């Protein structure tokens, strides 16, 4: 039966189209190799052409990887039928069935890649050892790292095939396992798109220390060799993930019966915590150099953006850390708005007392969160062996003053954001209000739209280059007073008190 399916897959015309695309790309790769050879006056052999296409990260990331995800998603949707589920008896058996079909349908894709990689050897001299070209480190030469790991050129081939097998299994198990939890096509498409974007972002933006987090790393033995000092570790990690997924599949029936609505409220906190830890760790590693101090790590993490300084990394950092905190605050406020009733107002005796109680809770939340972010940053600096030089200054301020400014201004700034969102949510009872407000506020962080007197982004350390601490505090406190007066009048008018 499997042989018949394989024969049927290999005869599909769609694979001819795939082969043409890879073939045209292979011509470009081979031309680049020959140009480099002529420029550097070195010898080349068949292994350079073979591994150049098979391990090419652009081909694997932007073509092979999305086709692979498309096949996996198509099989999961097509095989999710009642008669198939009944015949398989358990979710675990159904997942293994889809994995077998996935390997059958993905076999032509990787066979075409292997054949065209072999065709790259045409016209190149054969040698049983690595060539001089392989020893040249260039952007075109993706196989230079292989000669330092393998003594003979054919040794990487079985390792590459093993990585493909483990990686295909890991990705399909991930898609299939989560799909059985929500059983929604839209979420499955979103999950596949996110996996693809993670591969693209990881390939283009992740530094070498974090390249192991990118899915597409494991499609190329060259990239895996760069990411791991020992390839056995990479294979053990993929094998461990497969075994762990297999153990979870055995408990899938139990997991499906869990009331996930009870956990939905914690999802935003977990996502925020994960992104914050990832960002702070990334900044800590970027600043892990000789002579770096703790204050430099703090500045790099919380510098933010302003009219005279802007980078997309700092912008995304600000959006994640502070607008993310505002969004979590609004989740609790929206819950309060949904649960508001006459009985609750009677219990608090006044809507203003009810609001002051909410405001106190959010102040405590932002205070704890800000201290946690600062503490996590200092911990990351400590783990990176960065010295705590308290004599260092930033814009004439001591290290302690910078930490104090960061704490006070962040609490005040986040309160400004959350009160503005609360006031607009009270006036416009729609779910899109908070994301829209946060999106509009984030636009004012761009240099061309940045206005100094607006209380937006004023907790960024870059503000200290043009404004004093006390000026920032006065502006934020003034904005808080205006917003609290506006909310007080709004409560009186709405509730007639």
């Amino acid at each position: 039966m499997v042989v018949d399916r394989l024969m049927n897959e290999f005869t599909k015309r769609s694979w001819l189209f795939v082969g043409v695309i890879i073939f045209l790309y292979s011509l470009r790769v081979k031309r680049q190799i020959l140009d480099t050879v002529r420029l550097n006056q070195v010898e080349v052999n068949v292994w350079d052409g073979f591994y150049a296409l098979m391990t090419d990260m652009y081909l694997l990331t932007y073509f092979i990887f999305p086709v692979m995800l498309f096949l996996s998603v198509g099989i999961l949707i097509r095989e999710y039928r009642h008669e198939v589920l009944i015949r398989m008896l358990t979710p675990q058996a159904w997942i293994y069935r889809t994995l077998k079909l996935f390997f059958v349908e993905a076999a032509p894709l990787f066979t075409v890649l292997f054949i065209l990689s072999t065709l790259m050897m045409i016209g190149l001299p054969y040698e049983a050892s690595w060539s001089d070209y392989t020893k040249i480190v260039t952007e075109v030469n993706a196989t230079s790292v292989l000669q330092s790991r393998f003594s003979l050129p054919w040794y990487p081939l079985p390792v590459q095939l093993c990585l493909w097998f483990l990686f295909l299994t890991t990705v399909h198990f991930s898609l299939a396992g989560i799909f059985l939890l929500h059983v929604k096509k839209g979420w499955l498409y979103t999950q596949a798109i996110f996996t693809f974007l993670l591969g693209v972002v990881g390939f283009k933006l992740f530094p070498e220390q974090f390249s192991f987090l990118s899915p597409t790393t494991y499609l190329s033995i060259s990239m895996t060799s760069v990411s791991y000092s020992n390839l056995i570790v990479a294979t053990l990690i993929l094998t461990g993930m497969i075994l762990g997924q297999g153990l979870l599949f055995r408990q899938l029936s139990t997991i499906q019966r869990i009331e996930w609505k009870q956990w939905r409220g914690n999802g935003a906190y977990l996502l925020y915590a994960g992104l914050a830890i990832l960002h702070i760790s990334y900044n800590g590693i970027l600043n892990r150099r000789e002579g770096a101090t703790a204050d430099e790590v703090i500045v790099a993490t919380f510098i933010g953006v302003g009219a005279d300084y802007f980078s997309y990394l700092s912008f995304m950092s600000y959006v994640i850390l502070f607008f993310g905190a505002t969004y979590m605050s609004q989740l609790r406020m929206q819950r309060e708005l949904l649960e508001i009733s006459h009985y609750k107002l009677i219990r608090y005796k006044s809507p203003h007392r009810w609001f002051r109680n909410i405001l106190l809770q959010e102040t405590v939340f932002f205070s704890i969160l800000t201290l946690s972010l600062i503490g996590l940053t200092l911990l990351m600096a400590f783990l990176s062996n960065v010295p705590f030089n308290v004599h260092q200054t930033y814009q004439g301020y001591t290290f302690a003053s910078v930490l104090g400014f960061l704490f006070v201004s962040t609490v005040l700034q986040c309160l400004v954001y959350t009160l503005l969102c609360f006031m607009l949510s009270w006036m416009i009872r729609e779910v899109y209000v908070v994301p829209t407000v946060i999106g509009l506020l984030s636009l004012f962080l761009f240099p061309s739209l940045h206005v100094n007197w607006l209380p937006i982004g004023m907790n960024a350390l870059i503000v200290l280059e043009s404004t004093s601490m006390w000026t920032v505090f006065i502006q934020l406190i003034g904005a808080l007073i205006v917003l609290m007066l506006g909310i007080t009048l709004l409560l009186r008018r709405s509730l007639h008190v």
Side-chain angles (χ1 to χ4, degrees):
M1 181 179 178
V2 175
V3 176
D4 293 338
R5 284 182 175 272
L6 278 172
M7 294 297 295
N8 181 54
E9 284 296 325
F10 275 99
T11 55
K12 288 184 177 179
R13 295 181 180 179
S14 57
W15 296 119
L16 178 61
F17 176 72
V18 170
V20 170
I21 293 177
I22 300 178
F23 174 73
L24 294 175
Y25 185 81
S26 68
L27 296 178
R28 176 178 175 273
V29 173
K30 193 167 186 178
R31 185 172 63 251
Q32 289 179 334
I33 294 175
L34 296 178
D35 291 342
T36 304
V37 168
R38 284 193 295 268
L39 182 64
N40 294 275
Q41 297 296 314
V42 293
E43 294 182 356
V44 66
N45 63 26
V46 293
W47 301 109
D48 300 313
F50 179 76
Y51 287 117
L53 186 66
M54 180 175 286
T55 63
D56 186 274
M57 283 301 295
Y58 287 94
L59 176 65
L60 294 172
T61 301
Y62 295 105
F63 188 73
I64 301 296
F65 190 46
V67 172
M68 187 188 81
L69 293 173
F70 175 80
L71 294 175
S72 179
V73 169
I75 290 170
L76 293 176
I77 293 176
R78 189 172 65 248
E79 292 299 313
Y80 192 78
R81 305 191 306 272
H82 291 294
E83 59 271 20
V84 176
L85 292 171
I86 293 173
R87 192 167 69 250
M88 291 295 103
L89 298 178
T90 63
Q92 183 182 5
W94 179 83
I95 290 176
Y96 289 140
R97 168 188 166 83
T98 61
L99 177 65
K100 181 180 69 175
L101 295 176
F102 176 56
F103 275 118
V104 169
E105 294 194 12
L109 174 64
F110 289 91
T111 302
V112 169
L113 177 60
F114 180 82
I115 292 174
L116 291 175
S117 298
T118 305
L119 293 179
M120 288 277 290
M121 303 165 68
I122 296 176
L124 301 178
Y126 173 79
E127 292 181 15
S129 60
W130 297 107
S131 67
D132 293 335
Y133 167 79
T134 308
K135 300 176 183 179
I136 300 175
V137 180
T138 64
E139 293 183 359
V140 178
N141 187 6
T143 60
S144 60
V145 68
L146 297 181
Q147 58 88 22
S148 63
R149 293 293 183 91
F150 301 93
S151 57
L152 293 177
W154 63 270
Y155 284 171
L157 180 57
V159 182
Q160 175 70 87
L161 297 178
C162 177
L163 285 175
W164 280 351
F165 174 80
L166 295 175
F167 179 68
L168 289 172
T169 305
T170 304
V171 171
H172 184 76
F173 272 0
S174 300
L175 293 173
I178 298 179
F179 174 66
L180 285 183
L181 293 179
H182 54 68
V183 195
K184 294 180 180 179
K185 295 181 181 179
W187 281 106
L188 180 60
Y189 296 144
T190 303
Q191 182 185 348
I193 293 172
F194 175 79
T195 304
F196 170 69
L197 293 177
L198 179 62
V200 173
V201 172
F203 166 55
K204 297 298 292 183
L205 298 180
F206 282 6
E208 186 175 316
Q209 297 91 334
F210 288 108
S211 58
F212 69 93
L213 297 174
S214 175
T216 51
T217 294
Y218 304 94
L219 276 173
S220 169
I221 188 173
S222 297
M223 194 65 186
T224 309
S225 299
V226 172
S227 304
Y228 290 90
S229 58
N230 193 328
L231 289 172
I232 296 178
V233 176
T235 56
L236 289 177
I237 287 177
L238 291 177
T239 304
M241 291 182 64
I242 293 172
L243 294 176
Q245 290 168 330
L247 293 175
L248 287 176
F249 294 157
R250 292 185 179 182
Q251 307 297 324
L252 200 56
S253 298
T254 303
I255 296 174
Q256 287 175 321
R257 290 193 294 268
I258 295 178
E259 185 58 46
W260 290 103
K261 291 182 179 179
Q262 298 177 357
W263 298 85
R264 189 175 299 173
N266 299 323
Y269 296 94
L270 295 175
L271 178 61
Y272 176 84
L275 292 175
I277 292 172
L278 181 62
H279 165 69
I280 291 174
S281 302
Y282 176 69
N283 266 296
I285 291 176
L286 285 182
N287 290 274
R288 187 172 58 189
R289 65 184 188 278
E290 186 177 356
T293 56
D295 70 311
E296 292 179 353
V297 178
I298 287 287
V299 171
T301 305
F302 300 105
I303 189 170
V305 293
D308 301 323
Y309 173 81
F310 183 88
S311 73
Y312 283 103
L313 179 61
S314 299
F315 173 75
M316 291 306 300
S317 168
Y318 193 92
V319 170
I320 291 172
L321 296 181
F322 304 120
F323 284 131
T326 303
Y327 182 75
M328 289 193 298
S329 171
Q330 286 304 303
L331 290 179
R332 290 190 300 277
M333 285 199 165
Q334 293 298 319
R335 195 155 47 241
E336 288 286 343
L337 289 176
L338 290 175
E339 295 174 356
I340 191 172
S341 63
H342 293 291
Y343 299 103
K344 176 171 285 192
L345 295 179
I346 291 173
R347 181 160 59 91
Y348 282 100
K349 298 181 180 180
S350 167
H352 306 295
R353 182 175 295 178
W354 164 75
F355 174 72
R356 286 195 297 269
N357 181 69
I358 294 177
L359 184 60
L360 177 61
Q361 292 178 0
E362 298 312 308
T363 303
V364 173
F365 167 72
F366 288 130
S367 300
I368 295 175
L369 179 62
T370 305
L371 289 174
S372 300
L373 292 176
I374 296 174
L376 180 61
T377 305
L378 294 176
L379 176 63
M380 191 64 202
F382 173 76
L383 295 177
S384 301
N385 296 321
V386 174
F388 285 76
N389 190 343
V390 296
H391 300 293
Q392 293 288 333
T393 61
Y394 176 74
Q395 300 299 321
Y397 296 101
T398 63
F399 185 44
S401 299
V402 170
L403 293 182
F405 168 79
L406 185 59
F407 172 75
V408 177
S409 64
T410 297
V411 173
L412 294 176
Q413 182 69 83
C414 289
L415 285 174
V416 169
Y417 291 151
T418 199
L419 289 182
L420 179 61
C421 291
F422 176 82
M423 185 168 64
L424 293 175
S425 296
W426 184 277
M427 298 168 59
I428 309 171
R429 302 294 180 91
E430 297 290 344
V431 294
Y432 61 81
V433 172
V434 173
T436 302
V437 173
I438 292 177
L440 291 175
L441 290 175
S442 64
L443 291 179
F444 284 99
L445 295 177
F446 286 89
S448 57
L449 299 175
H450 185 83
V451 181
N452 290 328
W453 54 268
L454 283 178
I456 300 174
M458 300 192 73
N459 59 317
L461 293 180
I462 192 65
V463 174
L464 295 179
E465 291 189 0
S466 57
T467 310
S468 67
M469 287 186 180
W470 294 109
T471 302
V472 173
F473 293 157
I474 291 172
Q475 286 181 290
L476 290 175
I477 293 173
L480 279 176
I481 293 174
V482 172
L483 287 171
M484 291 178 66
L485 289 175
I487 292 174
T488 301
L489 294 175
L490 192 62
L491 291 175
R492 285 182 179 178
R493 185 174 180 179
S494 301
L495 301 175
H496 304 289
V497 292

